[in-house]
Amino acid sequence: MMDTAVCAPSADPDAPRWGDWLLGDAPDQRLWLARLLRVGALFLALDLARAVGVGLGLVPLQDMATLLAYNLGVLGVGYGLIRSGWSARLDDPSLTMPLVGLALISIVLGYVWVDVGRGALLPLAAVVLVHGMHRLTPRQTLAWAGALLGVLSLAAAVMALLSLQGLNLAQEAIDLGVAALGLPVLAAVAGRAHAVLQTHARQRAELRQSLARLEALTTKDALTGLSNHRHMLHLLDVEILRHSRQGRVFSVALLDVDHFEQINEALGRARADEVLRQLAHVSTTHLRASDVMGRWGGEEFILLMPETDLAGGVRSMERLKEKLYTKLGFYREGRWVPVNCSAGVTRHRTGETIHQTLARAEQALRSAKANGRNQVVSS
């Protein structure tokens, strides 16, 4: 008999991912909520043990219910503030400091009110502080631990004086003393963890800066700060995709500085480059926010005008040419010499490639040059 291979059904890519639903998709938020839920689960497990104690007659129902309500409230409010993004407006978006404080208050209340699970409270406090080390400084971690031990020691002394049931003072003194001896170790661990986290944070910041510089090198023109030739081709491809899917019109213009070779020879390379920088600055200041200008090569620039028909593109270029004439220029022998520009404008036509559109814009620019320069020609 032939063996039959049975393939497991592939996962539905559109099926809900419970991790994303519970924790969100922002990496930092997922990390903060995972820590909160891990610690919260330990507190609720302790509450479950207390509930068993209620059934066995070892724990008063009211005390157990009060602690359970407190823990659920802290967990629910903390989760809601982080998951909704509300905490992102705070200096501590992870809410580490308030949540650590509220968790330690729960430990103190459990220590005083309930006998069942008292031995688990100090390890639970250590877990809380370890989970808070990503945000707390070593001094803050040590201060929280010292304050907790001080409060628990005072509570144990008061409970012993009042001869409350269920408290073995000698055992409590040993437990708290051992915990106090562990404070230097906790401080060392906190210091090491803080140093590692600071190093990682600095490395992440440096990586982000490096990526930003790399992106600028690959998308920006070094001289003018405008989008470079390659990036403009990418933006034009994106605009063609929008046009094919949604029918959105767009126009493209090529703009060239008239007699730039003469400017370069008269002023020198450095001052001629400054003219190009001025052109980029004036253009980006007076264009619409949706328009994108890039350096196409040499003294030639390209302008992408989304949601613009041919007539609108010509009007935009006429306004820009006039603005450049009044703003762009240089002083020579004490006299202001304005710089003129010529431009060719075209509208992308359905079914043609971007190279065909650019060829018509280039032809219009050549016509503007041939007809005497300092003018806008459409095609």
Side-chain angles (χ1 to χ4, degrees):
M1 179 182 294
M2 297 291 292
D3 292 335
T4 302
V6 179
C7 297
S10 59
D12 182 1
D14 297 324
R17 297 175 59 185
W18 294 111
D20 292 342
W21 178 84
L22 184 65
L23 303 177
D25 54 9
D28 286 341
Q29 184 186 81
R30 292 176 67 91
L31 183 61
W32 300 332
L33 289 175
R35 287 172 178 154
L36 174 62
L37 294 177
R38 279 197 301 266
V39 177
L42 294 178
F43 276 87
L44 295 181
L46 184 56
D47 287 328
L48 179 61
R50 291 166 179 156
V52 174
V54 171
L56 298 175
L58 301 176
V59 179
L61 176 61
Q62 182 177 357
D63 293 347
M64 185 279 297
T66 302
L67 284 171
L68 177 60
Y70 177 90
N71 292 334
L72 287 174
V74 171
L75 181 61
V77 172
Y79 175 85
L81 294 178
I82 297 174
R83 182 65 178 86
S84 66
W86 184 92
S87 65
R89 69 188 71 180
L90 304 177
D91 292 336
D92 179 12
S94 63
L95 301 179
T96 299
M97 185 69 77
L99 287 174
V100 167
L102 292 171
L104 297 184
I105 289 174
S106 174
I107 288 173
V108 171
L109 294 177
Y111 185 87
V112 173
W113 286 350
V114 181
D115 298 337
V116 173
R118 186 175 286 156
L121 293 176
L122 287 177
L124 183 57
V127 171
V128 170
L129 293 173
V130 167
H131 276 71
M133 285 180 184
H134 73 282
R135 183 74 183 184
L136 301 177
T137 65
R139 182 174 297 180
Q140 290 171 331
T141 302
L142 194 58
W144 277 118
L148 176 65
L149 290 178
V151 171
L152 293 182
S153 299
L154 179 61
V158 171
M159 292 165 68
L161 288 175
L162 296 177
S163 301
L164 296 179
Q165 296 292 332
L167 180 68
N168 185 330
L169 184 59
Q171 184 62 50
E172 295 302 318
I174 292 173
D175 292 342
L176 294 173
V178 171
L181 292 175
L183 286 180
V185 177
L186 180 63
V189 172
R192 178 59 181 166
H194 187 73
V196 170
L197 291 171
Q198 290 294 101
T199 299
H200 287 173
R202 184 176 64 255
Q203 291 173 342
R204 287 195 299 270
E206 293 172 351
L207 178 59
R208 284 194 295 268
Q209 293 173 359
S210 298
L211 291 174
R213 288 193 294 268
L214 180 61
E215 181 180 6
L217 288 173
T218 57
T219 62
K220 300 295 183 182
D221 173 62
L223 177 64
T224 63
L226 299 175
S227 295
N228 60 22
H229 188 104
R230 176 182 295 180
H231 190 227
M232 288 304 301
L233 281 177
H234 168 71
L235 296 178
L236 289 167
D237 287 338
V238 171
E239 202 61 37
I240 282 186
L241 190 60
R242 284 201 192 97
H243 173 80
S244 63
R245 289 180 175 178
Q246 304 171 14
R248 295 185 178 183
V249 299
F250 70 93
S251 294
V252 177
L254 291 176
L255 181 144
D256 189 86
V257 179
D258 292 336
H259 302 297
F260 186 75
E261 295 82 359
Q262 298 177 17
I263 296 174
N264 203 354
E265 292 174 1
L267 301 181
R269 178 68 175 273
R271 291 185 62 189
D273 285 348
E274 183 59 32
V275 170
L276 298 181
R277 279 192 288 265
Q278 289 178 14
L279 186 150
H281 174 72
V282 173
S283 300
T284 53
T285 301
H286 292 89
L287 290 172
R288 301 177 304 174
S290 58
D291 296 337
V292 183
M293 191 170 194
R295 189 180 181 196
W296 200 235
E299 69 274 15
E300 192 172 63
F301 296 81
I302 185 170
L303 179 62
L304 169 61
M305 295 173 281
E307 305 287 349
T308 305
D309 59 14
L310 184 58
V314 171
R315 288 194 299 269
S316 294
M317 289 309 300
E318 289 284 2
R319 287 194 299 267
L320 178 60
K321 184 179 72 68
E322 294 302 319
K323 184 63 66 175
L324 290 172
Y325 181 79
T326 60
K327 298 286 187 180
L328 191 63
F330 56 92
Y331 283 99
R332 186 178 184 185
E333 298 178 354
R335 184 172 61 89
W336 175 255
V337 180
V339 173
N340 297 323
C341 297
S342 300
V345 186
T346 191
R347 180 182 69 82
H348 176 71
R349 299 170 183 172
T350 302
E352 69 180 5
T353 67
I354 191 56
H355 297 290
Q356 292 172 320
T357 302
L358 290 172
R360 287 191 289 103
E362 184 67 36
Q363 180 59 48
L365 176 60
R366 285 197 294 268
S367 297
K369 294 283 190 180
N371 294 339
R373 294 182 169 83
N374 192 29
Q375 58 186 280
V376 176
V377 174
S378 62
S379 172

